[in-house]
Amino acid sequence: EPEQGGFATAQYVVAVAFSLIFLVMLVNIVVFQYGRGVVQAAADEAARAAAPVDADIAACSVRGDEVLDAGLARSMRAGVHVTCVSSGDWVIAKATASFPGWLPLVPSWDFSVSSRALRTDPTRP
């Protein structure tokens, strides 16, 4: 009678492969969430940087870029841009992001966040 020994091994390899693919997809989603937090923090910090009345609006995007450079890997950082505008008494920082998926099964994630800060005069109480 011939042996049937290799069948269980093939099933095991397929099951492990699917499990690893699922794990990579989950980790990719967690990394997307982390990246969104960094992008929101960059928008918050950017708006705060230009909030003092004597600050230049260019300080806003410079600070946003610093936070993004410190918090994101180059591959994620490439798809993120911060823009700043001054609107009356407010500074508004908007960050748009596009994070690529690691696998064809995971779509890229495109989103935008914004933050605003009231312009203040640090010499006035």
Side-chain angles (χ1 to χ4, degrees):
E1 183 173 326
E3 286 191 34
Q4 306 281 332
F7 187 66
T9 303
Q11 287 177 334
Y12 179 75
V13 169
V14 170
V16 168
F18 279 122
S19 298
L20 290 176
I21 290 171
F22 183 70
L23 179 65
V24 169
M25 290 171 60
L26 285 177
V27 171
N28 196 180
I29 292 169
V30 170
V31 170
F32 281 174
Q33 291 299 318
Y34 166 80
R36 186 190 187 291
V38 172
V39 172
Q40 182 66 59
D44 294 345
E45 287 289 322
R48 281 190 212 109
V53 151
D54 58 346
D56 186 14
I57 193 70
C60 177
S61 58
V62 169
R63 181 63 184 142
D65 288 340
E66 289 172 352
V67 172
L68 291 170
D69 290 341
L72 293 179
R74 188 177 311 168
S75 61
M76 289 181 77
R77 172 67 178 95
V80 184
H81 304 285
V82 177
T83 57
C84 302
V85 295
S86 181
S87 176
D89 290 339
W90 294 92
V91 175
I92 302 166
K94 182 176 181 182
T96 57
S98 178
F99 295 151
W102 295 349
L103 298 173
L105 299 172
V106 180
S108 64
W109 189 31
D110 303 326
F111 65 95
S112 64
V113 296
S114 64
S115 185
R116 64 185 189 152
L118 182 62
R119 296 205 79 168
T120 58
D121 186 352
T123 62
R124 298 175 71 194

